[in-house]
Structure formats: structure tokens, C-alpha cells
Amino acid sequence: MTGYLGSYATLGLLLLASVLFFVTAFSANRLLRPARPADPAGKRATYECGLDPVGGDWAQVQIRYYVYAFFYVLFAVEAVFLFPWAVVFDRPGFGLVTVVEMGIFVGVLALGILYAWRRNVLRWT
């Protein structure tokens, strides 16, 4: 398949094959599954490490866990940007420009952490 429409024909064939595979897999699942699956007593009960569950099934999660996870992701992304910067820094012609760019980047992140610190977001209670 060459020419202008050759790549579209290949894409169309791949899409058709994926749709056929999807329909075949779900059809086989519907044909091969049991008509009335067994439902023994206790199958739908909550399971906690082999013990009977204690208390209700509703639990409140504190927002501070998400805040700490967000800060972790934020500074992990910062580290990902710092590694290539360190590699490019020693190349000729990149010295001052890369220092200024990374200073701005780290400065914005420092302002964010200072704001979080001032608002007592990082205080664990």
C-alpha cells in the first residue's frame, strides 16, 4: 500500500482489526460464561485480612494526604527538569542562559512552597 491513501488504508485496517477483536472477545465471554454463577453465602461481604469487618463501610479521608501527594509529585517533576539542566549546563554557550532559566524555575517553585508554608498547609495535625 503505497501512495497518499496507503497510510490511511493501513490505519483503517488496524482499526477494523481492533474492533473485530473487541467484538469477538466480548462475544466469547458472553457465550462461555456460566448462565447462573454460584453465589455462596458471604461472597459479597467485605473482606479485611481474613477477619470479620469491624465498624461501618464509610470512612473519611483527610485532604492533607492528597496535599502531601501533590507536593511529592510537584518536586519529583522538578527533579526531572533539573537533571537535563545539569547535563546542558556545562556545554559551551549555555552557561548564563541556563542558570537564569533554572533560577526562574526554582524561584517559582520556592514561591509556591513558601505560600504553602505560610498558609500552614504543611503542618501535620
Side-chain angles (χ1 to χ4, degrees):
M1 295 185 188
T2 60
Y4 179 73
L5 297 177
S7 59
Y8 289 110
T10 305
L11 178 66
L13 287 174
L14 285 173
L15 287 173
L16 180 67
S18 63
V19 168
L20 286 174
F21 179 76
F22 179 80
V23 169
T24 304
F26 275 86
S27 299
N29 182 27
R30 184 165 295 265
L31 289 173
L32 298 176
R33 72 177 184 183
R36 297 196 180 268
D39 197 8
K43 182 174 183 175
R44 301 192 190 279
T46 306
Y47 179 75
E48 289 185 12
C49 303
L51 304 173
D52 291 332
V54 177
D57 59 348
W58 185 82
Q60 184 177 3
V61 178
Q62 297 292 328
I63 190 67
R64 70 177 73 113
Y65 299 126
Y66 297 109
V67 171
Y68 278 97
F70 175 72
F71 280 131
Y72 171 76
V73 169
L74 181 72
F75 288 108
V77 168
E78 178 188 4
V80 167
F81 282 121
L82 283 174
F83 289 126
W85 172 77
V87 171
V88 172
F89 177 69
D90 67 346
R91 292 187 183 164
F94 286 104
L96 183 61
V97 175
T98 55
V99 169
V100 171
E101 287 177 354
M102 195 48 60
I104 292 170
F105 179 71
V106 172
V108 169
L109 285 173
L111 285 174
I113 195 78
L114 181 66
Y115 175 78
W117 193 296
R118 292 278 182 150
R119 301 282 290 186
N120 290 327
V121 173
L122 301 176
R123 182 159 306 181
W124 191 268
T125 56

